[in-house]
Amino acid sequence: MERINSKGFTLIELILAMTLLGIIVVVSGVLMGRGVDAFRFVTDRTDVVQQARLAMTRVQKELELLKEVQVASPDRVVFLDETLSPVEFRLDGTDLRQGNDILASGIQNLRMTYYQSNGNETSAAPQVRRIHIDMTLQTERGSGTLDLRTDIFPRNYIYENFR
């Protein structure tokens, strides 16, 4: 009887190798997809954080230098600046605007609360001594929200009994 010395692969070995290779490719694809999704989430969130911080800083700096509050509503404030020119910050749909300029987009919620010098809430513009701002932004791809809060103390007012 003669022995056949084969130097190739059997059909079973080829099928097994292709199956293992297929599993490795699928698992690698899923992991790479998750990595890309995580990258998109982080960059989206970073863009929103940067835009929100810039807008909040701009609002804070302007309100710190105000001379007189003229309108104090939950989504709008109008005041006179150092040159006694009127300045307005308002929520217009999902845009935070200063006049006609858009400071931030994708805002789900903007609420400004005004306080007197004794710490009591007020809606009367001449009594405003502190402004609390709550702002919630939606990320561009809907992957989450960002909440920002700040208290602003206009520099030209005297604070009595602040709590």
Side-chain angles (χ1 to χ4, degrees):
M1 214 179 205
E2 253 183 73
R3 256 181 116 186
I4 301 175
N5 191 2
S6 167
K7 294 190 179 190
F9 297 103
T10 65
L11 182 59
I12 294 175
E13 291 172 331
L14 286 174
I15 291 173
L16 185 60
M18 288 183 359
T19 303
L20 289 175
L21 183 63
I23 292 171
I24 291 171
V25 167
V26 168
V27 169
S28 297
V30 168
L31 292 176
M32 287 178 64
R34 287 185 182 167
V36 169
D37 289 344
F39 175 76
R40 285 183 182 155
F41 175 79
V42 168
T43 56
D44 189 29
R45 185 96 171 160
T46 302
D47 292 344
V48 170
V49 168
Q50 184 177 5
Q51 179 185 17
R53 283 186 180 164
L54 182 62
M56 190 65 89
T57 300
R58 175 103 180 254
V59 170
Q60 185 174 358
K61 294 294 182 193
E62 295 274 346
L63 288 174
E64 284 177 351
L65 300 174
L66 70 83
K67 291 294 181 190
E68 176 186 326
V69 178
Q70 294 185 323
V71 177
S73 70
D75 62 353
R76 180 173 175 248
V77 62
V78 179
F79 59 92
L80 299 178
D81 66 7
E82 292 178 312
T83 64
L84 301 180
S85 299
V87 178
E88 175 187 37
F89 289 106
R90 72 181 186 285
L91 183 62
D92 184 13
T94 61
D95 296 332
L96 174 61
R97 293 184 177 264
Q98 178 183 8
N100 291 325
D101 298 332
I102 297 175
L103 298 180
S105 296
I107 296 180
Q108 282 186 332
N109 182 37
L110 174 68
R111 177 158 176 76
M112 291 183 263
T113 310
Y114 307 92
Y115 296 93
Q116 301 172 351
S117 60
N118 63 6
N120 293 331
E121 203 170 310
T122 185
S123 59
Q127 297 175 354
V128 173
R129 297 298 180 262
R130 176 174 59 109
I131 303 168
H132 177 80
I133 299 176
D134 284 311
M135 184 168 44
T136 304
L137 287 93
Q138 177 71 39
T139 57
E140 290 178 19
R141 295 180 186 94
S143 57
T145 60
L146 174 67
D147 295 320
L148 293 173
R149 292 174 185 83
T150 190
D151 283 304
I152 299 165
F153 296 88
R155 289 185 183 158
N156 63 327
Y157 292 138
I158 298 172
Y159 308 103
E160 302 167 1
N161 303 323
F162 175 72
R163 294 178 212 151

